[in-house]
Amino acid sequence: MQLSVIILNYNVRYFLEQCVLSVQSALENIDGEIIVVDNNSPDDSCSMMKTRFPNVKLIQNNENSGFPKGNNIGVAQAQGEYICILNPDTVVAEDTFSKVLAFAKKQSDLGIVGVKLIDGTGNFLPESKRGIPTPFVAFTKITGLYRMFPKSKIFGKYYAEHLDENQTGKIEILVGAFMLMKRDLYLEIGGFDEKCFMYSDDIDLSYTVLKAGKSNYYYHETTVIHYKGESTVKDGTYMKRFQEAMQFFYQKHFKVSVLFSAFMKVGIVFFSLVKLFQGQPKIKTPPKSFVLYSSSEQLANKLVLILQKKVVFHDLKTEKMVLSSLLKEGAGTEIILDNEFVSFKESIAVLASLKNKGFTFKIVPKYSDFLIGSNTNSERGEIIEIER
């Protein structure tokens, strides 16, 4: 088998459904498998998987054992030559895996491959590529120096600014939302360190791969949506675990002075509080208008009743999707993409093309009864249930 995709889920049933749909489409011409590991979700994630995807391997844990252990459990049952660690709040394009695998096979020193990630508004996520957070690099992050001098070789290392977002190349640290590597290498280095519950696990794995003499790569020629904020509610528990994760990484890999350790503790608390503040709910402004790209007039009529507003319907059976025409709609318009007629790759392209133009976006996953999307990467997204 060529590829095993490991999806660790906790309590994000709707995002998981969309994610698995996109992965199934991306594996259509690949000898691969999907393994969903559920960390004892209180929602109906598992019942949904059994009903919607009976042929997908589902592992149900009796406890929330954390990100590292959950993924290790999944990889232990994987059969693929390559594995891909994938967050449930992601959407891959139909050609994502074929492109990344082709790239991976060409590398003689392959460690981990990551891809270009965007959020639910189409904006690039800088954590797609990062540098090793040495004490100094962490200092530039905590103090905000990386923002003041983003192109500086000295201060721009945290987000690997030496490499443009549209440029493929070697980097040091990748994010756990999408990590593709050889299964043998994963097992050789021991997988994710289970001493860390979550948050610095991807940094630790990336760094361990580098220490094993391999190279990590950022690959920009495919784009994946990462909604973020879905698997984690940024509450007091989040802040505590984030602090513990950063302390775990430094204690494991770096020898630092007592003075610097004290500074880092203060910095971590400050950084955690910022994250906590970012995760607080904000007042949401409802869309002024809606535009639906579909070929289902029935769906258009249902959305009018549900949304209680006019829905401009573009029938893809008779017209093409012309994004430039949407600019006339103006800010405050929500674009709804029916995945039965608009591919995941096309949907991702729409988000990326219309970012920062005042639009919000929702996808209706194929054969599903809900709209899904996120208007910010710092809080949970929005689900609107419909009857198909």
Side-chain angles (χ1 to χ4, degrees), residues 75-318:
V75 174
Q77 295 199 26
Q79 301 297 314
E81 177 185 0
Y82 293 85
I83 58 165
C84 181
I85 304 298
L86 187 69
N87 268 28
D89 55 345
T90 58
V91 178
V92 301
E94 284 76 4
D95 59 358
T96 289
F97 294 128
S98 58
K99 282 186 169 183
V100 177
L101 284 170
F103 173 80
K105 290 174 182 177
K106 294 177 183 177
Q107 313 310 318
S108 59
D109 59 349
L110 181 69
I112 307 172
V113 183
V115 297
K116 183 178 182 179
L117 299 171
I118 61 172
D119 64 18
T121 66
N123 282 290
F124 175 69
L125 291 171
E127 61 266 29
S128 301
K129 52 181 183 68
R130 290 177 290 178
I132 299 169
T134 62
F136 175 75
V137 172
F139 173 79
T140 66
K141 169 68 174 177
I142 291 170
T143 57
L145 285 169
Y146 79 101
R147 289 183 183 275
M148 291 183 245
F149 308 99
K151 298 303 179 183
S152 167
K153 290 183 179 180
I154 298 175
F155 300 120
K157 290 184 178 181
Y158 189 86
Y159 287 125
E161 295 291 353
H162 70 282
L163 203 65
D164 185 76
E165 67 181 79
N166 294 315
Q167 180 184 4
T168 294
K170 290 185 179 183
I171 55 158
E172 294 168 331
I173 305 297
L174 292 160
V175 65
F178 186 107
M179 295 177 123
L180 186 139
M181 63 190 297
K182 284 196 171 184
R183 180 168 58 93
D184 286 350
L185 176 60
Y186 185 95
L187 297 174
E188 178 187 321
I189 63 174
F192 286 108
D193 191 329
E194 294 180 14
K195 296 186 189 74
C196 178
F197 189 82
M198 60 195 310
Y199 300 126
S200 69
D201 34 58
D202 48 5
I203 300 173
D204 178 62
L205 186 72
S206 299
Y207 190 53
T208 302
V209 166
L210 292 178
K211 292 202 298 184
K214 302 296 183 179
S215 296
N216 296 329
Y217 291 89
Y218 167 72
Y219 178 73
H220 83 281
E221 293 186 35
T222 188
T223 302
V224 169
I225 299 173
H226 180 208
Y227 288 105
K228 294 189 64 176
E230 288 309 314
S231 298
T232 305
V233 177
K234 292 179 174 60
D235 55 13
T237 301
Y238 165 90
M239 189 170 75
K240 179 176 180 291
R241 286 179 175 165
F242 184 83
Q243 291 178 50
E244 290 172 349
M246 295 305 294
Q247 289 166 358
F248 158 82
F249 182 73
Y250 283 106
Q251 289 171 1
K252 180 176 178 178
H253 295 291
F254 295 99
K255 291 182 179 180
V256 295
S257 67
V258 175
L259 181 63
F260 188 83
S261 294
F263 170 78
M264 284 304 300
K265 286 181 180 180
V266 173
I268 289 168
V269 171
F270 172 75
F271 192 50
S272 301
L273 286 170
V274 170
K275 288 282 188 182
L276 184 63
F277 177 77
Q278 288 175 342
Q280 296 305 309
K282 299 177 178 62
I283 298 174
K284 295 182 179 180
T285 303
K288 296 177 181 177
S289 59
F290 296 86
V291 174
L292 169 66
Y293 280 102
S294 176
S295 290
S296 172
E297 191 169 355
Q298 182 182 21
L299 175 60
N301 293 332
K302 285 184 177 179
L303 288 178
V304 170
L305 295 174
I306 294 169
L307 301 172
Q308 295 294 301
K309 285 188 179 180
K310 180 182 177 181
V311 176
V312 178
F313 174 48
H314 290 277
D315 190 343
L316 295 177
K317 287 180 180 176
T318 58

Side-chain angles (χ1 to χ4, degrees), residues 365-381:
K366 187 182 295 186
Y367 313 131
S368 298
D369 55 1
F370 57 90
L371 312 178
I372 191 167
S374 177
N375 300 342
T376 171
N377 61 34
S378 62
E379 62 183 82
R380 289 203 159 195

Side-chain angles (χ1 to χ4, degrees), residues 7-109:
I7 305 171
L8 178 65
N9 176 70
Y10 179 71
N11 205 33
V12 287
R13 170 250 191 272
Y14 292 101
F15 285 88
L16 174 64
E17 181 174 342
Q18 179 176 233
C19 177
V20 174
L21 274 171
S22 73
V23 172
Q24 279 190 330
S25 296
L27 290 178
E28 202 167 287
N29 298 312
I30 295 173
D31 181 17
E33 64 177 348
I34 304 170
I35 299 174
V36 172
V37 182
D38 185 79
N39 261 352
N40 199 28
S41 297
D43 64 10
D44 65 339
S45 291
C46 290
S47 58
M48 179 277 294
M49 286 299 303
K50 291 172 183 176
T51 303
R52 189 85 157 86
F53 308 102
N55 296 324
V56 170
K57 185 179 291 186
L58 174 65
I59 301 171
Q60 294 179 247
N61 291 334
N62 295 322
E63 62 178 359
N64 185 353
S65 52
F67 185 88
K69 187 174 182 178
N71 277 296
N72 288 345
I73 289 170
V75 174
Q77 295 199 26
Q79 301 297 314
E81 177 185 0
Y82 293 85
I83 58 165
C84 181
I85 304 298
L86 187 69
N87 268 28
D89 55 345
T90 58
V91 178
V92 301
E94 284 76 4
D95 59 358
T96 289
F97 294 128
S98 58
K99 282 186 169 183
V100 177
L101 284 170
F103 173 80
K105 290 174 182 177
K106 294 177 183 177
Q107 313 310 318
S108 59
D109 59 349

